[in-house]
Amino acid sequence: MEAAGRGGRKARRRRAKKNMNTGGSPAECPVCMTGYDDTVQRPRTLPCGHTVCTLCIDQLKVQGRVACPECRVSHAVPKGGQFPVSYAVEAFIRMMRDAEVAPAAAASPPPSAGEGKGAAAAADKKEAAGLSKKMRSFLQEQETTVVAAITACREAQSHLDQYQTTLAGWGKRQQQLEDRLLGLVDQSRSARELLRQEESRAAVKEEELKKWEQRMQALLETLRTLTTEQEAGGAVTEVFRCTGEAEQAVEECREGFPDASTVTTARKVNAASSAALEAVQAALETLATEEPWPQSDPDSTVMDRLHLIWTGSLTAEDLRSLTQPARRLLEAGRVFAVHQAEGQLRHAKISLEAGQLCLHALKDLPLPLGAATLQVSEVVPPSPPCTVFLDLSWPGSSPRRVRIRLSPDTPRGRQFLLLCTGQRGPSYVNTRLYGVGQKGKAGEYVMGGDYESNDGSGSSVLLPGLDEGDYRKSGRAGDVFGLGWSGRTLGECGQFGIYTRDRQDGGESLVFGDVMDGLHVVAEAAQYRDIKEVTVADCGVELWG
């Protein structure tokens, strides 16, 4: 049977190859070379862009995958069990049919010539019934409307079929989860029974030790009241016997308690149960505070809307691998990272720009309806190395990006990251560049980052010990270094400088990053008529960059 299956697949591939070589009609399936229809042989588009009929795709399925008969790329079968219908091909086929019918109708002989099938027969009946030309045209329009409604019903049925298949799959998955939860409950009950048995065993031993304690207490009283040698001899013998047995009972207690197996099992089950309950509680709290889902695009399909609802909460792995649902939400501008600090919930937009995921600075605005969210800590690195960005703008210039790579083991670099994301509250958004040093000369640099005063006099810091890091000394164009003057002493704050021209001496000793892209933007800002009009319009960090 397996050999026959392989033979069938080879035959289909030969037919597809022959069809391609002979320039097969786009209205025909390249595998079976049968014209597409709107019932069982509907055209379906594979992710590679090629189209195959429904029946052939079903025959090409092998272990949940389909190899395209034209380009041989293997594709996973969607959860619904079918690839999407190619409505463009169906529309093309309808246009071809209409184009074929129109000339035939114009050249057809009068009804008396004997054409009595299909539309011609219907036209004959209408004309024989005495219907006017205008009425016949109107009725034809109504027929077109009915056919369109039939097609829409069939498409809706197909969508609902996929929807039911998906729901059935999720229901099966939910049953599996329920079985696992019940298994956890059974383990919890077993662990509780073990604990009960251990408690009972300990109680028996405790009662035994109490009896020995009472016997020892009575023996002690006897020793204190002895008056004769004979009584003393008997008491000593009893002491040897009782103390020996009591010591044996104590030793059994020391060796038998606690039971390591029971305690270990109970601890593991307790931890698993606590984790499961915390996860459930967190999910329920999220569900209780979830915003109403907005109205979706009326032209979207049932499955499109289903995926948008199901993927309302993304994971970092969804973003990292850029799954199709994640990409759709990113393109719709509905992916946000949330961060809570000092009781305040803020959010940051995540965008996809030139294939790179970017998290923008946190804001205090409420989340938009239908936002897909995850935690900032899930995507933002705790410290460099990483790539951040500043979008600079000034009058007459739209914001342009400056990308900066932050060096590892530099506290100023870590503070720069915090100020680009706003995780500690303040950020560089809407701050201004406040000065240019050595303008027009070697070692020219711009100064900015005073989120407190915006003029270079600010002294606030986010992190202690900013100068105690593994900094390098450099003065090359593009180097980013620490600033912050207090009198004549370099202080610790969030201000920074960026060289636009190389220095001739050794340079600064607090370099914590370098411009990867956009140095020309900084150089243009340095030459602008008033550096204080140059503003950081936006900032953030590239994720996994």
Side-chain angles (χ1 to χ4, degrees):
M1 184 176 295
E2 182 178 353
R6 287 197 298 268
R9 289 193 290 273
K10 290 180 179 178
R12 287 191 291 274
R13 287 198 292 270
R14 287 196 297 271
R15 289 197 299 270
K17 185 175 182 181
K18 179 180 178 182
N19 198 21
M20 289 183 286
N21 292 337
T22 57
S25 170
E28 294 178 352
C29 172
V31 179
C32 63
M33 292 181 286
T34 302
Y36 295 119
D37 60 29
D38 54 2
T39 55
V40 296
Q41 287 187 281
R42 301 189 71 180
R44 295 190 179 273
T45 302
L46 299 174
C48 59
H50 294 115
T51 306
V52 183
C53 77
T54 304
L55 291 179
C56 290
I57 283 184
D58 290 339
Q59 294 174 358
L60 289 169
K61 291 177 183 177
V62 178
Q63 295 182 348
R65 302 190 69 84
V66 169
C68 176
E70 297 197 37
C71 65
R72 305 309 304 154
V73 174
S74 178
H75 307 290
V77 177
K79 289 184 178 179
Q82 285 292 357
F83 293 91
V85 173
S86 178
Y87 298 113
V89 172
E90 288 192 338
F92 174 75
I93 294 172
R94 284 195 292 270
M95 290 175 60
M96 290 179 62
R97 289 173 179 170
D98 292 340
E100 292 172 358
V101 170
S108 60
S112 59
E115 285 290 336
K117 295 185 179 179
D124 291 343
K125 292 180 180 179
K126 292 172 183 175
E127 188 170 353
L131 295 176
S132 66
K133 184 177 181 181
K134 184 175 181 180
M135 178 57 70
R136 290 199 302 271
S137 175
F138 176 73
L139 291 177
Q140 287 177 350
E141 292 178 0
Q142 299 309 306
E143 288 179 8
T144 303
T145 302
V146 172
V147 170
I150 292 173
T151 301
C153 287
R154 289 173 176 172
E155 290 177 356
Q157 290 176 53
S158 175
H159 295 161
L160 289 175
D161 180 64
Q162 294 181 49
Y163 182 49
Q164 292 178 70
T165 302
T166 303
L167 291 179
W170 287 349
K172 183 177 180 180
R173 173 61 177 161
Q174 195 62 40
Q175 181 63 54
Q176 293 172 347
L177 292 174
E178 183 179 337
D179 292 342
R180 292 174 62 185
L181 287 173
L182 291 175
L184 181 59
V185 171
D186 291 339
Q187 290 181 357
S188 177
R189 289 172 177 166
S190 298
R192 185 156 50 87
E193 179 60 23
L194 285 174
L195 291 173
R196 189 195 64 77
Q197 293 175 3
E198 182 69 356
E199 181 183 5
S200 176
R201 193 169 69 91
V204 170
K205 181 58 68 175
E206 181 185 17
E207 189 63 28
E208 180 185 352
L209 290 172
K210 283 182 179 179
K211 291 180 179 179
W212 281 114
E213 180 188 359
Q214 292 172 358
R215 293 185 63 178
M216 293 299 102
Q217 196 68 36
L219 188 57
L220 180 61
E221 293 297 328
T222 299
L223 291 174
R224 291 174 177 172
T225 57
L226 294 176
T227 56
T228 65
E229 292 288 335
Q230 184 178 2
E231 291 177 347
V236 168
T237 301
E238 184 65 15
V239 166
F240 287 154
R241 187 181 66 82
C242 290
T243 54
E245 293 181 3
E247 288 175 356
Q248 182 179 355
V250 171
E251 187 63 25
E252 289 175 354
C253 178
R254 290 173 179 170
E255 293 179 354
F257 297 95
D259 182 271
S261 177
T262 297
V263 174
T264 300
T265 299
R267 178 181 61 80
K268 290 181 178 180
V269 172
N270 184 275
S273 301
S274 298
L277 285 174
E278 289 176 4
V280 170
Q281 186 63 34
L284 291 176
E285 290 176 358
T286 302
L287 184 64
T289 59
E290 202 170 59
E291 298 280 2
W293 198 262
Q295 292 294 323
S296 56
D297 183 358
D299 294 330
S300 61
T301 67
V302 172
M303 296 304 294
D304 287 338
R305 294 192 292 273
L306 177 65
H307 284 305
L308 284 176
I309 296 171
W310 186 260
T311 58
S313 179
L314 294 177
T315 65
E317 185 55 36
D318 291 331
L319 288 181
R320 184 190 289 271
S321 57
L322 276 181
T323 61
Q324 188 62 31
R327 186 180 288 274
R328 285 186 180 181
L329 290 170
L330 285 165
E331 292 172 350
R334 289 163 57 181
V335 180
F336 295 85
V338 295
H339 179 74
Q340 187 162 5
E342 298 180 356
Q344 185 179 17
L345 186 65
R346 308 166 72 207
H347 72 270
K349 182 179 179 180
I350 298 178
S351 63
L352 182 62
E353 304 174 23
Q356 175 62 56
L357 287 168
C358 299
L359 179 138
H360 301 257
L362 287 158
K363 296 181 180 179
D364 298 330
L365 301 175
L367 273 169
L369 296 178
T373 62
L374 66 168
Q375 296 295 320
V376 167
S377 58
E378 294 182 68
V379 293
V380 175
S383 60
C386 58
T387 300
V388 296
F389 62 88
L390 303 174
D391 289 346
L392 301 182
S393 67
W394 53 87
S397 172
S398 58
R400 289 186 287 172
R401 181 152 298 183
V402 179
R403 299 172 62 241
I404 299 171
R405 185 69 178 177
L406 301 179
S407 305
D409 303 321
T410 54
R412 284 181 180 267
R414 182 164 178 256
Q415 179 175 254
F416 197 91
L417 171 62
L418 293 174
L419 286 168
C420 282
T421 60
Q423 289 172 267
R424 293 290 182 89
S427 75
Y428 286 136
V429 174
N430 294 328
T431 62
R432 298 191 297 268
L433 301 184
Y434 59 80
V436 182
Q438 297 293 105
K439 186 169 184 177
K441 302 177 183 178
E444 178 186 78
Y445 63 94
V446 301
M447 295 176 281
D450 184 1
Y451 60 86
E452 183 182 20
S453 304
N454 240 341
D455 59 6
S457 64
S459 59
S460 295
V461 297
L462 296 181
L463 298 175
L466 291 179
D467 295 343
E468 301 172 1
D470 186 14
Y471 297 99
R472 59 186 173 88
K473 186 175 183 180
S474 178
R476 297 175 304 177
D479 284 340
V480 184
F481 59 95
L483 279 178
W485 296 90
S486 177
R488 292 190 176 183
T489 305
L490 187 64
E492 294 185 341
C493 65
Q495 297 173 44
F496 61 87
I498 302 178
Y499 284 112
T500 56
R501 301 187 183 188
D502 292 341
R503 287 181 61 155
Q504 295 178 346
D505 56 9
E508 291 291 338
S509 59
L510 289 176
V511 175
F512 59 82
D514 57 275
V515 176
M516 298 177 60
D517 185 35
L519 182 58
H520 64 286
V521 177
V522 184
E524 288 182 36
Q527 301 305 315
Y528 187 68
R529 64 174 183 266
D530 185 359
I531 191 65
K532 294 182 180 179
E533 292 185 356
V534 179
T535 304
V536 178
D538 195 8
C539 56
V541 58
E542 294 182 357
L543 306 182
W544 305 293

